[in-house]
Amino acid sequence: MPTTRAEQKSETRRRLLEEAAACFATHGFEGTTTRQIAKQCGVSIGTVFAHFPNKQTLLQAVLYEGIERALSRARLRLSANVPVDEAMATFAGSLYRFYLQQRTLSKELLKHNLFNTDAFAEQLMLFREELISFMHNQTPGGDRNTELVADALMSHYFFILLTVLNDPNMSAHQAVQRLRRMNALVTA
């Protein structure tokens, strides 16, 4: 049992995320209310809003934890000197699998946050820096186009993410294969 105020707050946040994920999975994003989440968690609606300003922020938190786990799994499979196209394929495969497992919620996340730079900014910049780091490891001394190549690779990744989320017949494996072909045009 949590004993300090900070531990209690952390436990409440964890429970809210767990209940939100369950409600979103059962009722969908639009079919879930913050009141339902509060009731399932045994807290007041004010407690939900004390942790998350709105339902979109709650969805972000639920999915971002999964995104971070997917990225961590990919990082475990990579070494520092792996070619950037292989690193991108490894990251993308892990992320595409996660997004496809959460297809409806992933679409909601993108719909609500695509043009909200605050929502994605930190995660995107860290991922971009990681790609640049892989490229610098391949060519010590660097290439003056490194940042442009990183941007192109990320553009391909997002284009295919939108495609795979909208094509019920495309698998994560097929998406990665398409990404590899597109990226080969940039990294060749």
Side-chain angles (χ1 to χ4, degrees), residues 36-91:
Q36 285 174 307
I37 295 166
K39 184 178 178 184
Q40 287 296 115
C41 203
V43 299
S44 71
I45 190 75
T47 300
V48 175
F49 290 122
H51 287 269
F52 304 97
N54 54 47
K55 191 168 69 166
Q56 287 82 14
T57 307
L58 191 52
L59 174 65
Q60 281 176 335
V62 166
L63 290 181
Y64 282 3
E65 284 187 5
I67 291 167
E68 285 304 319
R69 283 191 303 274
L71 288 170
S72 292
R73 283 191 299 272
R75 284 182 190 107
L76 290 173
R77 296 194 322 255
L78 294 173
S79 63
N81 59 354
V82 67
V84 69
D85 53 339
E86 187 57 37
M88 188 67 184
T90 300
F91 283 123

Side-chain angles (χ1 to χ4, degrees), residues 1-12:
M1 291 292 288
T3 56
T4 68
R5 180 76 179 122
E7 288 173 333
Q8 290 171 347
K9 188 174 180 177
S10 178
E11 176 61 17
T12 299

Side-chain angles (χ1 to χ4, degrees), residues 5-178:
R5 180 76 179 122
E7 288 173 333
Q8 290 171 347
K9 188 174 180 177
S10 178
E11 176 61 17
T12 299
R13 185 179 195 287
R14 185 198 62 75
R15 287 185 18 245
L16 285 168
L17 289 172
E18 189 176 282
E19 290 303 331
C23 286
F24 291 150
T26 303
H27 307 290
F29 179 76
E30 295 298 330
T32 298
T33 66
T34 50
R35 192 168 305 287
Q36 285 174 307
I37 295 166
K39 184 178 178 184
Q40 287 296 115
C41 203
V43 299
S44 71
I45 190 75
T47 300
V48 175
F49 290 122
H51 287 269
F52 304 97
N54 54 47
K55 191 168 69 166
Q56 287 82 14
T57 307
L58 191 52
L59 174 65
Q60 281 176 335
V62 166
L63 290 181
Y64 282 3
E65 284 187 5
I67 291 167
E68 285 304 319
R69 283 191 303 274
L71 288 170
S72 292
R73 283 191 299 272
R75 284 182 190 107
L76 290 173
R77 296 194 322 255
L78 294 173
S79 63
N81 59 354
V82 67
V84 69
D85 53 339
E86 187 57 37
M88 188 67 184
T90 300
F91 283 123
S94 189
L95 288 166
Y96 291 157
R97 282 187 291 283
F98 169 76
Y99 284 124
L100 286 175
Q101 291 168 354
Q102 309 285 335
R103 184 187 302 264
T104 303
L105 294 180
S106 296
K107 285 179 167 184
E108 287 294 331
L109 178 72
L110 290 171
K111 180 172 85 174
H112 290 285
N113 294 319
L114 195 57
F115 295 103
N116 179 356
T117 56
D118 293 338
F120 280 121
E122 184 178 354
Q123 199 171 42
L124 287 176
M125 292 315 296
L126 289 173
F127 186 60
R128 182 176 181 266
E129 291 303 316
E130 210 163 341
L131 285 177
I132 290 170
S133 175
F134 275 104
M135 285 186 267
H136 283 301
N137 286 338
Q138 289 176 19
T139 56
D143 178 347
R144 61 188 175 104
N145 293 317
T146 300
E147 290 184 10
L148 287 174
V149 172
D151 291 344
L153 296 175
M154 289 182 68
S155 296
H156 293 167
Y157 163 79
F158 278 110
F159 173 77
I160 292 175
L161 174 61
L162 295 174
T163 302
V164 74
L165 286 175
N166 285 306
D167 184 347
N169 298 314
M170 184 182 277
S171 69
H173 175 76
Q174 291 168 317
V176 170
Q177 294 310 311
R178 181 175 282 182

